Amino acid sequence: MPLALCLAVTVSPGRTGEQLHVCKESEYHYEYTACDSSGSRWRVAVPHTPGLCTGLPDPVRGTECSFSCKAGEFLEMQTQMCRPCAEGTYSLGTGVRFDEWDEVPHGFANVATNMEVDDSFGDVAENCTASTWVPLGDYVASNTDECMATLMYAVSLKQSGTVTFEYIYPDSSIVFEFFVQNDQCQPTVEESRWMRTTEKGWEFHSVELSRGNNVLYWRTTAFSVWSKVPKPVLVRNIGITGVAFTSECFPCKPGTFAPAAGSAACQPCPADTFSGKGATACQPCDPETYAEPGSGSCKPRPPCTDKDFFYTHTACDADGETQLMYKWAEPKICSEELPQAAQLPPSGIKTRCPPCNPGFAKGNGSTCQPCPYGSYSNGSACLSCPEGTEPALGLEYKWWNVLPPNMETTVLSGINFEYKGIAGWEVAGDYIYTAAGASDSDFMILTLVVPGFSPPSPVLEDTESREVARITFVFETLCSVGCELYFMVGVNSRTNTPVETWTGSTGKQSYTYLVEKNATMSFTWAFQRTPYHEAGRRFTSDVAKLYSINVTNVQGGVASFCRRCAPQPTGSCAPCSPGSAVDPSSGTCQPCPSGTYLRSHPSDGTPTCHPCGPGTCSNQLRSLCYNNCSLALALPGRMLRFEFPSLGMGAGVGTGPSFTPKGLPYSHHFRLSLCGHQGRKMASCADNVTAGRGGPAHVVTSYVCQAIVVPPDITGARAAVSSQPISLGDYLLGVTTSSVLDNIVSPPELFPPGHPDLPDIIFFFRSNDMTQPCSGGRATTIRLRCDPLHLGTGTLAVPSKCPEGTCDGCTFHFLWVTAEGCPRCSSFHHRPIVGACIGGVQKTTYVWREPRLCHGGDALPPQVIQACRSMDFWLKVGISTGTCVAVLLAALAAYFWKKTQKLEYKYSKLVMDAVARESDATSPDSCAIMEGEDAEDELLFATEMSLFGKFKALTAKFPHHRMAPGLNFPTPQRMPDGFDSVPLKTSSSSTKQEL
């Protein structure tokens, strides 16, 4: 009451003392005071300009604070009763709506800050001042850089209410969150903080609001890790209820109308009509003008050009002919009557119909009908499969006379992102192409729906062979500007994930996508000529063409060929049990031998047994090859055995921090699992940005995966933000020491050199994700290096030259240093050290060879102690043996010397006797010397000779004992009396010469 009185008597100081007139109704308005503790309030009159008049109505008790009017009504303050809104206006009753975004509406705060709070990024933060939400007429668009853009609105609710809005969130590389805080700055709806991406146009979002003060936040942050700029988040039609009452109705914005009183919303004007603000009906445009739906004015029609029409083909008639038809692009906005306007070319030219697609044949009429099960066709006639074969079911489209029944086409507006009821793709015989849209920014949509798949070999849930089917299509884009062709895959009509994007003109090429889940799948091609909206059609000649689409293993599909199968007694075929394949020679199912796995043949899709790669073995189901955390490596002269069970549980490695152009830090995080678990993939990377409310995050599971991580201290979230997970290894090719396997190269120079005596063990992986730059799929090499000091899982590293783990974007390289990478210790890895013999005891100790390059395995042998003899003993033995040998040699020398003396004596005596007898006149015919006689005789020589001289004389004469020079010594003859008789014959000349 005092507040009301103060408001009633408030005057301007400048008007004091003047006579004021009584206020008219047009000079004041009514307001409610704040609610008191009992929930009551007063209605007071407040002048538009204080101090101009006096005599305001007295305050009266107002309605209850919780009082409100229904939608389409407003509270008339004079009577304090709800009245319906007039025609051309609308009301939400207890709320407000913001659907005009020519500028940021009053009450909103639009700010942009840098996520990094470090002062070193102060210059970068200044660059974020312009990275705010941008109003674009019907909606507001977020930023597309790494700055944090926040759109805020504060509202005080008198009762519980709701906030609703529509949004488009197509790109998960943008972090989009919506949350509500109360007046204590505490979040109230935490589970709705992270928004989930949208797949099909605008999606509706609603959050309950509590009574009292509420602050609404729409916040986005994009991190431009890849070169492609992400698509912005769009928000429109923000509505808030619970403000208790509205005292007026809002006029309809231009382009909309409200034909009846009490409207809760305005309706958009149809095409070729327009309306102004607060309209009750839409006005038609003049014939020479046009207007798009929801327009506030009409535009003049431009003259028609060759970009305003397209061509298509009619269905085949009874004569097997089709007609070439030209049609105006819808909606038709051009005029044919203007000068220099192009005219529609004549239609009706007939040509022969193309043949039916494989698996189809013409029936009684002119339409192509699918062949029944058990038969196949190349497009001409249905033929039964031979015995022992079955049809390879699939879908193959390469002739485009009519759009197949399981395909549909539409157009998504690039302006308001609403779907239009027109065709975006048209058939053209050899291909299907994008027709002209209403705008060059429209998305031309083509969707193929497959109900399910029936692979020839059962794919069990506990296997890791995830390929259920594959889709291959041949396409081409012809563009003069930056057009884009998107290929998207949906599962059970709930997700529509972009798989690959092609920008600009591309040559005729094929693309293959592997289906890894047996579910209802949708494959979508979306073509946009330009993302910029301009009036008219300038780039209609920019088109995308699909020449053929081939999907394998389609449930309920048709067959273009038959493949071998295992016949049953009933005559039908049945798939082989898991782990078995059809033997071509016998036609029966035979289990695949150990070391092989089942793989579909490239030509007909028949599963066959293929050998595993080096260092791998097959699992029990023969669905894949894996390494069982062991390896036998043959090196020259030795066999090394490795066991690394600790590496089977997986490990992670993150790259160093990288920064976007505006300073947002991020890193690449990798998860790796090498072996074991019967080939199960144990590495997983998650996308917690796109997780649904209350649902799990999107997770990629493989042998090697990668995700982009933003630290939690940057985003303000409870945990690090992980986004964009991809698989880098879906199957193991082999384990070897060679640097090349299956055209995948692991350059040794990327990492520091290892030990020359022990090569690195290299694991080679390949993924199923085929991308535009990586046509063969991504690949990964992991070098396992021995270091006994790194126990457990050791350390993981990426190449220093390629800090993101890859040098070309397709092949990733890692170095895993761990003791598990060392071979098992064996006798080769240690050597003995023999000690000295001390006190009759000798010790042999075994030590590891340095550097030690083994782990686990055999332990060092224990110390060996054995008896031995010392050096003193052997010295004594040696001296004794030497003394004995010396004595023996001395005895032998004395003996032989004595013997020599005897021989010399005998010889000398013989010589002297011969000389004596020669001097006598009568010489005896013979002489004899009895044995033993020489021992008693002593001969004295006139001239004494030394011992050396005697030996010399002996050696000179003794060899001529049979016939000495000058003497003829016949051979002695033993006589009967025991004497040796020697006849002597002299020669005077020779004797004198000798003497």
Side-chain angles (χ1 to χ4, degrees):
M1 188 67 178
L3 175 62
L5 294 176
C6 291
L7 291 174
V9 300
T10 299
V11 294
S12 172
R15 309 280 296 186
T16 303
E18 297 183 7
Q19 188 68 30
L20 302 178
H21 65 277
V22 178
C23 292
K24 302 177 183 178
E25 290 186 4
S26 59
E27 295 178 333
Y28 64 88
H29 61 278
Y30 292 104
E31 291 184 3
Y32 279 125
T33 62
C35 296
D36 56 23
S37 59
S38 63
S40 300
R41 57 185 175 183
W42 292 84
R43 189 203 69 178
V44 296
V46 179
H48 297 319
T49 303
L52 293 180
C53 60
T54 187
L56 295 172
D58 294 332
V60 298
R61 184 173 294 277
T63 59
E64 296 296 328
C65 289
S66 60
F67 176 81
S68 62
C69 297
K70 298 184 299 182
E73 297 180 342
F74 72 101
L75 180 64
E76 187 181 42
M77 295 295 291
Q78 185 171 1
T79 61
Q80 298 194 67
M81 297 180 62
C82 294
R83 303 292 185 187
C85 290
E87 298 176 354
T89 62
Y90 73 98
S91 167
L92 297 179
T94 62
V96 292
R97 176 179 293 166
F98 304 97
D99 54 6
E100 294 186 45
W101 293 94
D102 295 322
E103 60 181 3
V104 177
H106 177 71
F108 279 86
N110 191 11
V111 296
T113 57
N114 190 278
M115 295 180 63
E116 178 61 61
V117 297
D118 193 349
D119 293 339
S120 61
F121 289 91
D123 296 337
V124 177
E126 296 179 0
N127 297 333
C128 288
T129 55
S131 298
T132 59
W133 290 75
V134 181
L136 296 174
D138 294 331
Y139 52 83
V140 59
S142 73
N143 63 323
T144 57
D145 54 23
E146 57 272 22
C147 299
M148 180 184 294
T150 305
L151 189 67
M152 295 180 293
Y153 184 77
V155 60
S156 178
L157 301 186
K158 306 301 180 183
Q159 59 185 8
S160 299
T162 59
V163 55
T164 60
F165 59 90
E166 296 177 87
Y167 72 100
I168 289 181
Y169 180 17
D171 200 328
S172 62
S173 61
I174 293 182
V175 181
F176 178 33
E177 52 183 332
F178 171 76
F179 58 96
V180 182
Q181 289 185 347
N182 56 22
D183 46 7
Q184 280 81 35
C185 295
Q186 297 176 348
T188 59
V189 204
E190 182 67 25
E191 66 274 9
S192 298
R193 182 182 185 100
W194 306 103
M195 305 297 294
R196 63 181 301 179
T197 55
T198 58
E199 290 102 22
K200 294 184 178 180
W202 295 93
E203 287 196 8
F204 183 81
H205 187 65
S206 176
V207 174
E208 299 291 332
L209 299 179
S210 302
R211 179 180 176 181
N213 295 325
N214 293 268
V215 183
L216 315 179
Y217 292 86
W218 292 265
R219 178 174 292 169
T220 57
T221 301
F223 36 104
S224 304
V225 176
W226 313 119
S227 57
K228 184 174 179 293
V229 178
K231 294 188 177 298
V233 177
L234 309 181
V235 175
R236 72 177 186 182
N237 293 339
I238 300 176
I240 304 172
T241 63
V243 295
F245 75 94
T246 177
S247 59
E248 60 179 343
C249 295
F250 301 97
C252 293
K253 66 176 183 178
T256 63
F257 68 102
S263 297
C266 300
Q267 306 175 23
C269 290
D272 293 333
T273 62
F274 72 99
S275 69
K277 188 174 183 178
T280 59
C282 297
Q283 305 298 322
C285 294
D286 295 335
E288 64 274 6
T289 61
Y290 76 99
E292 298 176 354
S295 297
S297 60
C298 296
K299 301 177 182 178
R301 293 184 181 271
C304 293
T305 65
D306 56 357
K307 295 180 173 56
D308 292 311
F309 60 83
F310 62 93
Y311 61 93
T312 184
H313 289 77
T314 62
C316 293
D317 56 19
D319 297 330
E321 294 181 336
T322 179
Q323 296 186 35
L324 178 64
M325 304 296 295
Y326 290 93
K327 297 181 179 180
W328 292 111
E330 295 294 335
K332 183 185 177 184
I333 61 175
C334 65
S335 174
E336 306 172 63
E337 301 175 355
L338 294 176
Q340 299 180 350
Q343 303 297 316
L344 193 67
S347 301
I349 300 176
K350 291 186 176 183
T351 57
R352 294 297 300 174
C353 285
C356 295
N357 281 307
F360 291 83
K362 292 185 179 180
N364 296 330
S366 59
T367 59
C368 295
Q369 300 294 331
C371 291
Y373 182 79
S375 61
Y376 70 100
S377 169
N378 60 359
S380 57
C382 297
L383 302 175
S384 298
C385 287
E387 184 179 355
T389 63
E390 64 178 352
L393 300 181
L395 290 175
E396 185 177 359
Y397 300 126
K398 63 179 181 179
W399 302 110
W400 304 93
N401 186 53
V402 293
L403 194 66
N406 58 345
M407 298 185 73
E408 60 181 13
T409 178
T410 185
V411 176
L412 175 66
S413 172
I415 303 173
N416 55 17
F417 296 93
E418 298 284 356
Y419 283 94
K420 304 176 180 180
I422 58 177
W425 294 68
E426 291 290 341
V427 294
D430 295 337
Y431 55 86
I432 182 172
Y433 76 106
T434 51
S439 169
D440 289 333
S441 61
D442 290 348
F443 292 90
M444 321 305 287
I445 309 294
L446 178 67
T447 302
L448 168 64
V449 179
V450 178
F453 302 92
S454 56
S457 180
V459 179
L460 305 182
E461 291 297 330
D462 58 346
T463 67
E464 292 295 329
S465 178
R466 300 191 298 177
E467 181 178 348
V468 176
R470 60 176 57 195
I471 176 173
T472 303
F473 57 91
V474 179
F475 70 99
E476 181 183 19
T477 58
L478 302 173
C479 303
S480 58
V481 291
C483 65
E484 289 184 321
L485 175 64
Y486 302 88
F487 175 64
M488 298 173 286
V489 177
V491 181
N492 293 327
S493 301
R494 290 182 301 184
T495 59
N496 204 21
T497 305
V499 174
E500 189 57 79
T501 304
W502 294 270
T503 303
S505 294
T506 62
K508 190 175 181 180
Q509 58 183 282
S510 65
Y511 177 81
T512 300
Y513 174 79
L514 300 184
V515 179
E516 300 175 347
K517 186 175 183 179
N518 195 348
T520 300
M521 305 289 291
S522 63
F523 306 100
T524 301
W525 294 264
F527 180 73
Q528 186 183 32
R529 293 178 169 88
T530 176
Y532 306 103
H533 173 62
E534 295 182 4
R537 302 182 179 97
R538 299 178 53 193
F539 307 109
T540 305
S541 57
D542 294 359
V543 296
K545 297 180 180 181
L546 280 176
Y547 292 93
S548 64
I549 301 175
N550 187 5
V551 188
T552 63
N553 303 334
V554 175
Q555 181 179 352
V558 294
S560 59
F561 62 91
C562 299
R563 59 190 171 201
R564 296 190 63 87
C565 65
Q568 300 298 308
T570 58
S572 61
C573 286
C576 295
S577 60
S580 300
V582 178
D583 185 8
S585 59
S586 63
T588 59
C589 291
Q590 298 293 332
C592 288
S594 178
T596 63
Y597 71 104
L598 282 172
R599 189 177 70 180
S600 297
H601 195 275
S603 61
D604 58 5
T606 304
T608 55
C609 302
H610 289 261
C612 292
T616 64
C617 58
S618 56
N619 61 349
Q620 295 179 354
L621 295 176
R622 305 294 188 262
S623 60
L624 55 84
C625 297
Y626 73 103
N627 181 273
N628 59 359
C629 296
S630 65
L631 183 68
L633 179 62
L635 293 180
R638 51 180 170 151
M639 175 66 72
L640 301 181
R641 300 189 179 276
F642 297 81
E643 294 183 8
F644 30 85
S646 300
L647 307 186
M649 298 308 297
V653 59
T655 63
S658 301
F659 298 91
T660 60
K662 290 196 175 180
L664 174 68
Y666 70 92
S667 63
H668 295 277
H669 187 73
F670 301 93
R671 296 290 303 176
L672 300 89
S673 64
L674 288 185
C675 55
H677 309 282
Q678 283 289 307
R680 286 190 173 274
K681 302 174 177 64
M682 304 301 294
S684 60
C685 299
D687 184 353
N688 56 17
V689 175
T690 59
R693 298 187 298 272
H698 172 58
V699 178
V700 171
T701 303
S702 64
Y703 293 114
V704 186
C705 63
Q706 175 201 25
I708 296 175
V709 177
V710 178
D713 56 338
I714 300 300
T715 61
R718 294 180 178 178
V721 174
S722 176
S723 178
Q724 303 177 25
I726 58 175
S727 172
L728 304 180
D730 290 312
Y731 54 94
L732 177 62
L733 295 175
V735 184
T736 177
T737 57
S738 174
S739 297
V740 182
L741 182 64
D742 195 26
N743 296 324
I744 302 175
V745 181
S746 175
E749 61 271 11
L750 291 180
F751 298 102
H755 197 276
D757 294 336
L758 186 62
D760 295 336
I761 300 175
I762 308 176
F763 287 71
F764 291 86
F765 296 91
R766 193 182 291 278
S767 72
N768 293 328
D769 297 335
M770 299 178 186
T771 61
Q772 185 176 355
C774 311
S775 58
R778 299 182 181 93
T780 299
T781 68
I782 303 175
R783 285 182 170 265
L784 192 60
R785 180 170 294 176
C786 168
D787 188 346
L789 300 180
H790 286 70
L791 301 178
T793 57
T795 58
L796 273 165
V798 297
S800 58
K801 298 179 181 179
C802 311
E804 294 184 354
T806 177
C807 302
D808 58 2
C810 293
T811 304
F812 292 77
H813 306 279
F814 301 93
L815 176 64
W816 200 332
V817 180
T818 171
E820 299 283 335
C822 300
R824 307 292 287 178
C825 294
S826 63
S827 59
F828 174 80
H829 296 96
H830 57 74
R831 61 184 179 89
I833 297 179
V834 180
C837 183
I838 302 175
V841 176
Q842 187 178 45
K843 298 180 180 180
T844 301
T845 305
Y846 293 88
V847 296
W848 296 112
R849 296 181 185 273
E850 294 296 337
R852 180 183 175 184
L853 298 176
C854 68
H855 175 72
D858 299 337
L860 285 174
Q863 189 181 56
V864 178
I865 301 176
Q866 57 186 1
C868 64
R869 296 186 182 273
S870 63
M871 196 66 186
D872 296 340
F873 171 80
W874 293 110
L875 182 61
K876 293 177 181 179
V877 172
I879 294 174
S880 301
T881 303
T883 304
C884 294
V885 171
V887 172
L888 180 61
L889 291 175
L892 289 174
Y895 169 77
F896 283 110
W897 181 81
K898 187 67 176 177
K899 195 73 172 176
T900 303
Q901 291 292 331
K902 290 181 178 181
L903 292 175
E904 184 181 4
Y905 171 73
K906 290 179 180 180
Y907 179 76
S908 299
K909 192 172 182 179
L910 289 175
V911 171
M912 293 178 67
D913 288 345
V915 172
R917 285 184 174 86
E918 187 177 70
S919 62
D920 293 340
T922 303
S923 299
D925 295 334
S926 64
C927 66
I929 300 175
M930 295 297 292
E931 290 185 2
E933 184 180 10
D934 55 345
E936 299 175 0
D937 298 336
E938 293 181 358
L939 180 64
L940 298 177
F941 293 90
T943 304
E944 295 185 356
M945 301 177 67
S946 65
L947 181 62
F948 178 75
K950 294 179 180 180
F951 273 108
K952 184 176 180 182
L954 178 64
T955 56
K957 298 177 181 180
F958 188 75
H960 306 283
H961 68 277
R962 292 189 180 269
M963 190 175 288
L967 292 177
N968 292 327
F969 291 97
T971 303
Q973 296 181 359
R974 178 67 63 180
M975 301 301 291
D977 56 1
F979 291 92
D980 291 334
S981 175
V982 180
L984 298 176
K985 294 182 178 180
T986 62
S987 174
S988 301
S989 60
S990 63
T991 301
K992 291 179 180 181
Q993 187 177 1
E994 178 67 24
L995 292 175

